[in-house]
Amino acid sequence: MALRQLDQPFPTFTDLDGSPLDAGYVYFGVENDNPETAPITVYYDAALTQAAAQPLRTSNGYVVRNGAPAVLYADVAYSLTVRNKTQALVFYSQSGDGLSPGGALVAANNLSDVASASASLVNLGLTATAAELNQINDKAPLASPALTGTPTAPTAAGGTNTTQLATAAFVQQETPELTQLEVENPASTVFGQVSGERLSQAGVVSFTAQEQQIGVGQTWQDVFGSRVVGTSYQNTTGKPIMVAIEMTPTATGESLQVSVDNSTWINIGRGSNAGNYYGIAPPSWYYRLESGADIATWAELR
């Protein structure tokens, strides 16, 4: 077989980032095999008398011998593996015949047109270890990545209106209260807010307002045994409650009263002689039946 010089004047190698390969490792092996496990002998001279020990080391992109760039020779076609100083695979070529390793590296970086890293390596006639392939294949694709676990992202500043990802934290800080709704003015691109009053007029009731309605989440309760005429009670339920009192046939006319401060009282119901009292006590307000009344029942919707 004719003698082959491996590149002229010197073979050059680059790292994964395109910079000259420094402190790298270069292996030459049997064609279509793994150079690290099936090496061939390469030489520093055309007479093939000065064998080069493998792995060959690089400095500033060149294979060096005694600190100077070296020319390499082989008398057969070969496979080639290049690793950087961290032992990461830079590239692998199944078959070389004096081709510039730098040219092979450019081809090996063109992986975007195939479905996976392993497929791209096969497409280019390259191989890598299972661990190296897993590191590449585990990367999420740029188009429609299917992320798992709990992926995180930077939270955008308030008021950001771009195609930037919105994190849960951003959504929380930007979501308006339920009594306000951001709507678009159909006559322009201006956005405004609709008040709770406007929403109510439109027949829209927020969850908070609905929960405050009498009877929602409440039941009638017989509290006769725990109520005393002339004693004030405070509504601490957080919602309005309804009070219903039935008088005895011999009862005298007394008033059902409410107060915001347990001091100034407002009459909201009056009855006598088997009459009935009905009234609503707002949240945190006080209510009472004036002393002197004779009651038959006392129930509250609360």
Side-chain angles (χ1 to χ4, degrees):
M1 178 176 288
L3 181 68
R4 296 176 176 84
Q5 175 180 326
L6 307 184
D7 206 48
Q8 177 66 35
F10 302 108
T12 58
F13 302 88
T14 55
D15 208 333
L16 292 170
D17 60 1
S19 62
L21 184 66
D22 201 36
Y25 300 82
V26 179
Y27 304 83
F28 291 92
V30 175
E31 186 178 24
N32 299 317
D33 208 335
N34 183 350
E36 297 176 63
T37 58
I40 63 168
T41 302
V42 293
Y43 302 87
Y44 289 123
D45 65 314
L48 305 182
T49 61
Q50 302 175 36
Q54 298 196 57
L56 298 144
R57 301 305 303 274
T58 66
S59 177
N60 200 32
Y62 300 104
V63 171
V64 292
R65 180 190 187 195
N66 299 326
V71 177
L72 299 172
Y73 298 85
D75 61 351
V76 293
Y78 55 86
S79 58
L80 175 65
T81 290
V82 178
R83 295 184 180 274
N84 63 19
K85 60 184 177 182
T86 66
Q87 292 293 333
L89 179 67
V90 178
F91 71 91
Y92 165 76
S93 176
Q94 285 183 308
S95 180
D97 189 18
L99 179 67
S100 165
L105 176 61
V106 172
N109 280 336
N110 184 20
L111 309 179
S112 61
D113 60 340
V114 289
S116 67
S118 56
S120 67
L121 290 172
V122 171
N123 185 52
L124 294 168
L126 309 178
T127 61
T129 66
E132 291 164 340
L133 288 174
N134 286 338
Q135 287 183 341
I136 301 174
N137 287 330
D138 285 345
K139 304 298 182 183
L142 293 178
S144 303
L147 303 178
T148 60
T150 309
T152 59
T155 298
T160 298
N161 184 20
T162 67
T163 57
Q164 179 178 350
L165 288 176
T167 63
F170 178 79
V171 173
Q172 288 289 332
Q173 74 183 18
E174 293 297 299
T175 302
E177 296 181 2
L178 289 176
T179 55
Q180 295 179 334
L181 179 68
E182 298 233 350
V183 295
E184 184 178 1
N185 182 341
S188 68
T189 58
V190 177
F191 285 78
Q193 290 186 331
V194 178
S195 66
E197 180 183 0
R198 292 293 186 183
L199 289 175
S200 178
Q201 292 174 353
V204 179
V205 181
S206 70
F207 289 110
T208 301
Q210 186 179 34
E211 290 170 356
Q212 292 298 316
Q213 293 179 351
I214 286 285
V216 176
Q218 296 175 314
T219 59
W220 278 106
Q221 301 179 32
D222 183 357
V223 295
F224 178 79
S226 61
R227 297 292 184 261
V228 177
V229 173
T231 301
S232 64
Y233 302 94
Q234 187 177 22
N235 175 11
T236 59
T237 66
K239 298 173 61 172
I241 65 172
M242 185 171 186
V243 180
I245 303 172
E246 181 184 0
M247 307 298 294
T248 65
T250 60
T252 58
E254 303 296 343
S255 295
L256 177 61
Q257 301 175 321
V258 293
S259 171
V260 70
D261 56 6
N262 202 24
S263 176
T264 303
W265 293 90
I266 302 172
N267 293 331
I268 60 172
R270 184 176 178 82
S272 62
N273 300 328
N276 296 320
Y277 294 85
Y278 299 100
I280 294 176
S284 300
W285 279 52
Y286 297 85
Y287 59 98
R288 71 180 182 184
L289 187 63
E290 274 188 299
S291 60
D294 189 10
I295 60 176
T297 63
W298 189 319
E300 297 177 3
L301 180 62
R302 55 186 303 126

